[in-house]
Amino acid sequence: MLVRQSSPSQHTTVTIAGVPVGGPSMVVIAGPCAAESETQLRTVAECLTRLDIRLLRAGVYKPRTSPYSFQGLQDEGLQLLHDIKRAYGLGIVSEVMSVAHLERACEVFDCFQVGSRNMQNFELLKALGQVRKPVLLKRGLAATIEELLGAAEYILAGGNQQVILCERGIRSFDPSTRNVLDLGAVALLKRLTHLPVIVDPSHATGRRELVIPAARAAVAVGADGLIVECHPVPQQSVSDAAQALSLDELEQLVCETARVAQAVGRQLPCPVERAA
Amino acid sequence: MLVRQSSPSQHTTVTIAGVPVGGPSMVVIAGPCAAESETQLRTVAECLTRLDIRLLRAGVYKPRTSPYSFQGLQDEGLQLLHDIKRAYGLGIVSEVMSVAHLERACEVFDCFQVGSRNMQNFELLKALGQVRKPVLLKRGLAATIEELLGAAEYILAGGNQQVILCERGIRSFDPSTRNVLDLGAVALLKRLTHLPVIVDPSHATGRRELVIPAARAAVAVGADGLIVECHPVPQQSVSDAAQALSLDELEQLVCETARVAQAVGRQLPCPVERAA
Amino acid sequence: MLVRQSSPSQHTTVTIAGVPVGGPSMVVIAGPCAAESETQLRTVAECLTRLDIRLLRAGVYKPRTSPYSFQGLQDEGLQLLHDIKRAYGLGIVSEVMSVAHLERACEVFDCFQVGSRNMQNFELLKALGQVRKPVLLKRGLAATIEELLGAAEYILAGGNQQVILCERGIRSFDPSTRNVLDLGAVALLKRLTHLPVIVDPSHATGRRELVIPAARAAVAVGADGLIVECHPVPQQSVSDAAQALSLDELEQLVCETARVAQAVGRQLPCPVERAA
Amino acid sequence: MLVRQSSPSQHTTVTIAGVPVGGPSMVVIAGPCAAESETQLRTVAECLTRLDIRLLRAGVYKPRTSPYSFQGLQDEGLQLLHDIKRAYGLGIVSEVMSVAHLERACEVFDCFQVGSRNMQNFELLKALGQVRKPVLLKRGLAATIEELLGAAEYILAGGNQQVILCERGIRSFDPSTRNVLDLGAVALLKRLTHLPVIVDPSHATGRRELVIPAARAAVAVGADGLIVECHPVPQQSVSDAAQALSLDELEQLVCETARVAQAVGRQLPCPVERAA
């Protein structure tokens, strides 16, 4: 299988809009669950710029349990992301749910995210094997490591080597957290595959107060980066409000994880400390 | 939500190629995991005809963990199913994994199956809301009842009321069976929704010797039917060999479940007993 | 291992107070979650007698998540069970949680139940290997089949062959039912071990309206019996109120499962039909 | 409930043989799965002493799935631990499975461990509420956070406030690791209870090569310490051989986690670096 390491030192670096993922530096991808408005995105983009975070996440196509829930701003969201990208020079990481989305979003998204529910949407994976852009592949809610690697293999086998894996929590019996963050899986993946592996502490815990500790743990276990939900006013987020960090909390996350990154031999600049 | 019962007596009957699902008669859908050859399909079709089973399942698009596993006969398989349908007058129930499949298979399939991995492939569900054919929606491996109902709602909200739900086992910690058949969920679904609910005892157990007992239990709990894998020579099946019944075992399943059906006030003709 | 079948036809019959478990007749064990009062127990006992149910379940030592919840009537409950047993000639099936309970309850209980939480309380299992009474061993909430068989082996290895296994639902991700009834495990156990296997549909579903369908399914899959919670006034039950059947519902359960039992070649007398 | 924090700053420090758990210093408890021989224990004890680890774990009562597996050295093991304790001045942390064990081990063990299988052995918990020694309470394989806190409450309600909680992995569907380390639960517990919370990365992963990354993550998330399995010759360990660290790996674990501890404001001396 193409996803397997040929040797323990084989590590692929995937570059999103000039930002390397999988190298000595940790990457942070941050932003709201969904693109909601120009004001919202500008406020977030300014914070990211200040924190030296160069990749923005924000959904325009939202997979929702109910057809009557907010489904994302779709075309209007694409236009918002296009403008924010031009204004701030940020790379855009955003979810696609079908081949049709791929075609529409191709000029705006710098990295196509495949969400948990679509990890084994093999027709979508095959199409992503044909594109020339990085893919962020999230682990399914009950996907084994072998299934996650198999899903990535669909993309690599199609000719696209730029795949980043993402652990985002698995289903469990305990209602006290939204999902269970499986960091043993991250440690194992780093030994099985040469692909970068990042962690989503927001969906993994589903509770704002647990996101920063989970992020520290993810860095300590050896993840190559984080994808984090934040919002200018978390309680007003149209989706996933309980897990979105405020922008102040995002800054705290960056500073705390930067210290852990250093302790495990990785780099993550903490702008605040740098300024101090 | 459109999927909810307005009263305990509201039950929708969905008709596939003239066969009612959800009415007083139990339905059995049977056939191989994948269409493999004309000989294989003819042998199965003759058995089904003899057993008075009028709906054939057989995959031509196969979702597989690895891209290097057999992916189904695709167009060649469509032609085979087209011919078998004409020759034996069977209704065809078969999986689609993308909107493109829908378009190609529209003239051959009498019921579009959505597999577990695609239960929350919302773009596919929205497309199925636009077709005028029945949909068999399988529960995801770790989908809650609310998520299954939400997925069905996508199809109904699109205008297609002909949806059949299917419990096919959920993920668990015990490696001794492939999945865990969740018959409590079937009993609950029958109280929450007016849609027919059937059970797949083959995937739920993953072991041939457990399929018939599981099928009996499914009928006893109140399922509206069964979808079962069988093969002329199970050990030669190109996929899911461990769970395919032989054609003799399929006959045994029909006879045993017919007796249970009668005990719970449902009808399922057992041709052998009828002949005797 | 002593629990394994030496041949597919090896089936052990365990006798509780003269009632055989594991033979051609299905057994029903019924009663309240906890012994609460003489009035409660007499009302239940009269109903059981009328329904030809000869084994009463009723807890006097209750394992509870919180130390501040009702822990059972303990010695007072033992006295109540002693009196009811003498008055109605019922066999008593009741839980023990420690070796000390074994000693106290020895003269009252006809079958010692080991609850899910204690399935791998190996010191208790070893002690039960030394007694001369039947043991009802419930599967742990997340115990594999191999672990359940290993636990039973502790008792058999100690010299006590009178062990009945009980599937009572396993932990899962779906909050819509209390547990997930694993009937595939029952079918598998019947192929692995010569010991009788019964099902607890009350704990498996946790919802009154699902208990009867689950019971029918358990009988259809091949279980040797049922253990069911009922209460004269379910909503007043001091524990597990949501899952206790009324006495009328218990009668309905007996009649409905009797028909299924007959359909699968087992016997379970339905007194009402007999009278009619 | 006594286990709940009255304020976010309430943190209980539990002292085992003079070693504080829950204060500013991280604690490491290390040793073999089972006490096997004097030579084994001496080799481990010398390593611990060199690494400034002052608490030895080593089982003499072993809970095993099969009654025919090694059950621990029992009385002989107690004598070995008694001698090693005297010789090296180490505190002993070891499992008890029944009240009888408590009585026998009282003079040798400095902390009674309750294993996962006995987390809801309420009679044992009640007995531990009466002792004047610390208790290390491991989370059950499928126990919710509320159930873990309820179990601890049994001990506190009995009068013993010296309880340490331990996350050791939960059951999941993925066979690639033995269990799933639930660090979100650790972060949550630190916000719900004033009791110290430690992590067992050995059982949580079950694979030697994942233990050190998991330990780093546990420290980063905010755990108060680690309990780790090690062995002079891991592949010769009579139990849990796949997860035991070599003594060199244990040293590496201490050094790597010490750096992470510092990054999150905790102390864990790394003797090697200190010497350097």
Side-chain angles (χ1 to χ4, degrees):
Chain A
M1 281 173 74
L2 300 171
V3 296
R4 303 263 172 200
Q5 279 185 326
S6 54
S7 79
S9 63
Q10 188 197 3
H11 296 294
T12 293
T13 299
V14 175
T15 303
I16 308 174
V19 179
V21 182
S25 289
M26 296 276 308
V27 70
V28 176
I29 305 166
C33 179
E36 296 171 11
S37 69
E38 189 189 330
T39 308
Q40 174 221 37
L41 290 176
R42 283 192 172 272
T43 312
V44 170
E46 275 159 26
C47 171
L48 298 196
T49 303
R50 190 167 57 81
L51 295 176
D52 212 8
I53 295 174
R54 295 160 61 197
L55 299 176
L56 172 70
R57 61 146 293 155
V60 298
Y61 305 113
K62 299 302 302 174
R64 304 303 296 276
T65 298
S66 164
Y68 311 124
S69 299
F70 173 62
Q71 306 271 317
L73 290 182
Q74 317 256 344
D75 285 354
E76 186 191 340
L78 278 181
Q79 185 61 48
L80 287 175
L81 288 182
H82 172 269
D83 296 347
I84 211 82
K85 179 179 173 171
R86 180 172 302 191
Y88 291 87
L90 295 166
I92 305 291
V93 179
S94 195
E95 181 163 358
V96 288
M97 293 158 62
S98 74
V99 178
H101 293 167
L102 268 189
E103 290 158 3
R104 298 183 86 86
C106 199
E107 291 182 24
V108 179
F109 294 0
D110 298 289
C111 175
F112 294 118
Q113 178 183 315
V114 178
S116 298
R117 296 172 182 82
N118 282 306
M119 190 198 86
Q120 290 190 315
N121 180 338
F122 296 122
E123 299 307 306
L124 179 59
L125 299 179
K126 286 175 188 169
L128 287 164
Q130 306 299 321
V131 302
R132 298 277 74 81
K133 284 206 171 162
V135 176
L136 177 58
L137 179 64
K138 292 188 128 186
R139 182 183 184 188
L141 275 166
T144 65
I145 295 303
E146 287 307 310
E147 289 169 339
L148 174 57
L149 293 175
E153 189 77 11
Y154 271 88
I155 306 172
L156 271 66
N160 184 355
Q161 313 300 309
Q162 302 176 76
V163 177
I164 301 163
L165 304 177
C166 181
E167 157 63 23
R168 43 78 73 213
I170 55 175
R171 280 261 153 103
S172 175
F173 53 84
D174 194 340
S176 65
T177 50
R178 182 173 180 181
N179 292 295
V180 169
L181 175 58
D182 184 3
L183 290 181
V186 174
L188 182 59
L189 283 168
K190 292 299 295 175
R191 278 153 188 78
L192 294 177
T193 178
H194 55 87
L195 297 174
V197 182
I198 71 170
V199 168
D200 174 347
S202 306
H203 285 86
T205 60
R207 296 171 67 141
R208 184 174 303 117
E209 71 273 25
L210 305 182
V211 171
I212 294 178
R216 292 194 312 254
V219 173
V221 92
D224 295 302
L226 301 166
I227 180 165
V228 182
E229 286 190 355
C230 62
H231 195 280
V233 191
Q235 57 274 30
Q236 290 178 12
S237 179
V238 294
S239 50
D240 287 350
Q243 73 197 31
L245 297 185
S246 70
L247 302 182
D248 282 351
E249 289 165 332
L250 179 65
E251 179 172 326
Q252 187 188 344
L253 178 144
V254 171
C255 293
E256 293 196 15
T257 53
R259 285 194 284 273
V260 176
Q262 195 177 21
V264 297
R266 299 294 281 268
Q267 300 156 22
L268 177 69
C270 178
V272 183
E273 295 195 343
R274 200 176 43 189
Chain B
M1 281 174 73
L2 301 171
V3 295
R4 302 264 172 200
Q5 279 184 325
S6 54
S7 79
S9 63
Q10 188 198 4
H11 296 294
T12 293
T13 298
V14 175
T15 303
I16 309 175
V19 180
V21 182
S25 289
M26 296 275 310
V27 71
V28 176
I29 306 166
C33 178
E36 297 172 10
S37 69
E38 189 189 331
T39 308
Q40 174 223 34
L41 290 176
R42 284 190 171 274
T43 312
V44 170
E46 276 159 24
C47 171
L48 298 196
T49 303
R50 190 169 55 82
L51 295 175
D52 211 10
I53 295 175
R54 295 160 61 197
L55 299 176
L56 171 71
R57 61 147 294 154
V60 298
Y61 306 113
K62 300 301 301 172
R64 304 303 297 277
T65 298
S66 163
Y68 311 124
S69 299
F70 173 61
Q71 306 271 316
L73 289 183
Q74 318 255 345
D75 285 353
E76 186 191 340
L78 279 181
Q79 185 62 48
L80 287 175
L81 288 182
H82 173 269
D83 296 347
I84 212 81
K85 178 179 175 172
R86 180 172 304 191
Y88 292 87
L90 295 166
I92 305 291
V93 178
S94 194
E95 180 164 358
V96 288
M97 294 157 63
S98 74
V99 178
H101 293 165
L102 269 189
E103 291 157 4
R104 298 183 86 86
C106 200
E107 291 181 25
V108 179
F109 295 180
D110 297 290
C111 175
F112 294 119
Q113 178 183 313
V114 178
S116 298
R117 297 171 180 84
N118 281 307
M119 190 199 85
Q120 291 190 314
N121 180 339
F122 296 121
E123 299 307 306
L124 179 58
L125 299 179
K126 286 175 188 169
L128 287 163
Q130 305 300 322
V131 303
R132 297 276 74 81
K133 283 205 173 164
V135 176
L136 177 58
L137 179 64
K138 292 188 128 185
R139 182 182 182 187
L141 276 166
T144 64
I145 295 303
E146 287 306 311
E147 289 169 339
L148 173 57
L149 293 176
E153 188 75 11
Y154 271 88
I155 305 173
L156 271 65
N160 184 355
Q161 313 301 311
Q162 303 177 76
V163 176
I164 301 162
L165 304 178
C166 181
E167 157 63 25
R168 43 78 72 212
I170 54 174
R171 280 260 153 102
S172 174
F173 53 83
D174 194 340
S176 65
T177 48
R178 182 172 179 182
N179 293 295
V180 169
L181 176 57
D182 183 4
L183 290 181
V186 174
L188 182 59
L189 283 168
K190 292 299 294 177
R191 277 152 188 77
L192 295 177
T193 178
H194 55 88
L195 298 174
V197 182
I198 71 169
V199 167
D200 175 348
S202 306
H203 285 86
T205 61
R207 297 171 68 142
R208 183 174 304 117
E209 71 272 26
L210 305 183
V211 171
I212 294 177
R216 291 194 312 254
V219 173
V221 93
D224 295 301
L226 301 165
I227 180 166
V228 183
E229 287 190 355
C230 62
H231 195 280
V233 192
Q235 57 274 30
Q236 290 178 14
S237 178
V238 295
S239 50
D240 287 349
Q243 73 196 32
L245 296 185
S246 70
L247 301 183
D248 282 351
E249 289 165 331
L250 180 64
E251 179 173 327
Q252 187 188 344
L253 177 143
V254 171
C255 292
E256 294 196 14
T257 53
R259 284 194 285 273
V260 177
Q262 195 176 21
V264 297
R266 300 293 283 266
Q267 301 156 20
L268 177 69
C270 178
V272 183
E273 295 194 342
R274 202 177 40 191
Chain C
M1 282 173 72
L2 301 171
V3 295
R4 302 263 172 202
Q5 278 185 325
S6 55
S7 79
S9 63
Q10 188 196 4
H11 297 293
T12 293
T13 298
V14 175
T15 302
I16 308 174
V19 179
V21 182
S25 289
M26 296 275 310
V27 71
V28 176
I29 306 166
C33 178
E36 296 172 10
S37 70
E38 190 189 331
T39 307
Q40 174 221 35
L41 290 176
R42 283 190 172 273
T43 311
V44 170
E46 276 160 25
C47 171
L48 298 195
T49 303
R50 189 168 56 83
L51 295 176
D52 212 8
I53 296 174
R54 295 160 62 196
L55 299 176
L56 172 71
R57 61 147 292 153
V60 298
Y61 306 113
K62 299 302 301 174
R64 303 304 297 276
T65 298
S66 163
Y68 311 123
S69 299
F70 173 62
Q71 306 272 314
L73 289 181
Q74 317 254 344
D75 285 355
E76 187 192 340
L78 279 181
Q79 186 61 47
L80 287 175
L81 288 182
H82 173 269
D83 296 347
I84 212 81
K85 177 179 176 172
R86 179 171 304 189
Y88 292 87
L90 295 165
I92 306 291
V93 179
S94 194
E95 181 164 356
V96 288
M97 294 158 61
S98 75
V99 178
H101 293 167
L102 269 189
E103 291 158 2
R104 299 182 84 87
C106 199
E107 292 182 23
V108 179
F109 294 180
D110 298 288
C111 175
F112 294 120
Q113 178 184 314
V114 178
S116 298
R117 298 171 180 82
N118 281 306
M119 190 199 86
Q120 290 190 314
N121 179 339
F122 296 121
E123 298 308 305
L124 179 58
L125 299 179
K126 286 175 187 168
L128 287 164
Q130 305 300 320
V131 302
R132 297 278 73 82
K133 284 209 172 159
V135 176
L136 176 59
L137 179 64
K138 291 188 129 184
R139 182 182 183 187
L141 275 166
T144 64
I145 295 302
E146 286 307 309
E147 289 169 340
L148 174 58
L149 292 175
E153 188 76 12
Y154 271 88
I155 306 172
L156 271 66
N160 184 355
Q161 313 301 310
Q162 302 176 78
V163 176
I164 301 162
L165 305 178
C166 181
E167 157 63 23
R168 43 77 73 212
I170 54 175
R171 280 260 153 103
S172 175
F173 53 83
D174 194 341
S176 64
T177 49
R178 183 173 179 180
N179 293 294
V180 170
L181 175 58
D182 183 5
L183 290 181
V186 174
L188 182 59
L189 282 167
K190 291 299 295 176
R191 278 152 188 77
L192 294 177
T193 177
H194 54 87
L195 298 174
V197 183
I198 71 170
V199 168
D200 175 347
S202 307
H203 285 86
T205 61
R207 296 171 69 141
R208 184 174 304 117
E209 71 272 27
L210 306 183
V211 171
I212 294 178
R216 291 193 312 253
V219 173
V221 93
D224 295 302
L226 300 166
I227 180 166
V228 183
E229 287 190 355
C230 62
H231 195 281
V233 192
Q235 57 274 32
Q236 290 178 14
S237 179
V238 295
S239 49
D240 288 348
Q243 73 195 33
L245 296 185
S246 70
L247 302 182
D248 282 351
E249 289 166 331
L250 179 65
E251 180 173 324
Q252 188 189 345
L253 178 143
V254 171
C255 292
E256 293 196 14
T257 53
R259 285 194 284 272
V260 176
Q262 196 176 20
V264 297
R266 300 293 282 268
Q267 301 156 19
L268 177 70
C270 178
V272 182
E273 295 194 343
R274 201 176 42 192
Chain D
M1 282 174 74
L2 301 171
V3 295
R4 303 263 172 201
Q5 279 185 325
S6 55
S7 79
S9 63
Q10 187 196 4
H11 296 294
T12 293
T13 298
V14 175
T15 303
I16 308 174
V19 179
V21 183
S25 289
M26 296 275 309
V27 70
V28 177
I29 306 166
C33 178
E36 296 172 11
S37 70
E38 188 189 332
T39 307
Q40 175 223 35
L41 289 176
R42 284 191 170 274
T43 312
V44 170
E46 276 160 23
C47 170
L48 298 195
T49 303
R50 189 168 56 81
L51 295 176
D52 212 9
I53 294 173
R54 295 160 62 197
L55 299 177
L56 173 71
R57 62 147 292 155
V60 299
Y61 306 112
K62 299 301 302 173
R64 303 303 296 277
T65 298
S66 164
Y68 311 123
S69 299
F70 174 63
Q71 306 272 315
L73 290 181
Q74 317 255 343
D75 285 354
E76 186 191 340
L78 278 182
Q79 186 62 48
L80 287 175
L81 287 183
H82 173 269
D83 296 347
I84 211 82
K85 178 179 175 171
R86 179 172 302 190
Y88 292 87
L90 294 166
I92 306 292
V93 179
S94 195
E95 181 164 357
V96 288
M97 292 157 61
S98 74
V99 179
H101 293 166
L102 268 189
E103 290 158 2
R104 297 183 86 86
C106 199
E107 292 182 23
V108 179
F109 295 179
D110 298 288
C111 175
F112 294 120
Q113 178 184 312
V114 178
S116 298
R117 295 171 183 84
N118 282 305
M119 189 198 86
Q120 290 191 314
N121 180 338
F122 297 122
E123 299 307 306
L124 179 59
L125 299 179
K126 286 175 187 170
L128 287 164
Q130 306 299 321
V131 303
R132 298 277 72 83
K133 284 206 172 163
V135 176
L136 176 59
L137 179 64
K138 292 188 129 185
R139 182 183 183 187
L141 275 166
T144 63
I145 295 303
E146 286 307 309
E147 289 169 339
L148 174 56
L149 293 176
E153 188 77 12
Y154 271 88
I155 307 173
L156 270 67
N160 184 354
Q161 313 301 311
Q162 304 176 76
V163 176
I164 301 163
L165 304 178
C166 181
E167 157 62 25
R168 44 76 74 213
I170 54 174
R171 280 259 154 104
S172 175
F173 53 83
D174 194 341
S176 65
T177 50
R178 183 173 178 181
N179 293 295
V180 169
L181 175 58
D182 184 4
L183 290 181
V186 174
L188 181 59
L189 283 168
K190 292 300 294 177
R191 277 150 189 80
L192 294 177
T193 178
H194 55 87
L195 298 174
V197 182
I198 72 170
V199 167
D200 174 348
S202 306
H203 286 85
T205 61
R207 296 172 67 142
R208 184 175 303 117
E209 71 273 26
L210 305 183
V211 171
I212 295 178
R216 292 194 312 253
V219 172
V221 92
D224 295 302
L226 301 165
I227 179 164
V228 182
E229 288 191 355
C230 63
H231 195 280
V233 191
Q235 58 274 31
Q236 290 177 14
S237 178
V238 295
S239 49
D240 287 348
Q243 73 196 32
L245 296 184
S246 71
L247 301 182
D248 282 352
E249 289 166 330
L250 180 64
E251 180 172 325
Q252 187 189 343
L253 177 143
V254 172
C255 293
E256 293 196 14
T257 52
R259 284 194 285 273
V260 176
Q262 196 176 19
V264 296
R266 300 293 282 267
Q267 301 156 21
L268 177 70
C270 178
V272 183
E273 295 194 343
R274 202 176 44 192

